[in-house]
Amino acid sequence: MKTIDAARGKWEDVLTRLGIDSRYLRNKNGPCPVCGGTDRFRFDNKNGNGTWYCNQCDPHSGNGINLLMSFHGWEFAKAASEIERCTLPR
């Protein structure tokens, strides 16, 4: 199973477990967890994929794994490993 498939529908839990404050994870404009600002970020989580966009960040949008990579400065492999750790059955 792909990492992104395992996290589908679980992104809010995964992102908060990996350090992103839940106050950023609302479908409402607000500060960006990556670049700051006051009204440039929105976590819309379309189709449970952790989707987001920011008017300032580069890239301006992505899915949950992209958000973790930008937030922590992780490479894809590190982000995938951390997501897998969070989505394994407990």
Side-chain angles (χ1 to χ4, degrees):
M1 176 183 292
K2 290 183 179 181
T3 301
I4 292 173
D5 292 335
R8 185 168 290 119
K10 302 175 189 171
W11 279 109
E12 290 180 38
D13 180 54
V14 168
L15 293 170
T16 56
R17 289 181 65 194
L18 294 175
I20 297 179
D21 194 296
S22 62
R23 69 186 170 106
Y24 296 111
L25 306 179
R26 299 176 292 155
N27 190 11
K28 182 177 178 182
N29 283 12
C32 178
V34 177
C35 70
T38 58
D39 194 29
R40 55 177 68 156
F41 177 84
R42 179 182 292 256
F43 179 77
D44 61 5
N45 198 25
K46 287 188 180 174
N47 300 317
N49 291 319
T51 55
W52 60 277
Y53 59 90
C54 175
N55 294 329
Q56 181 70 30
C57 283
D58 184 28
H60 293 290
S61 64
N63 60 19
I65 200 164
N66 300 120
L67 182 55
L68 286 170
M69 291 167 59
S70 295
F71 182 76
H72 288 294
W74 289 342
E75 297 293 325
F76 181 87
K78 170 69 173 170
S81 173
E82 292 296 319
I83 292 165
E84 287 171 7
R85 184 177 58 80
C86 288
T87 56
L88 290 174
R90 297 179 192 179

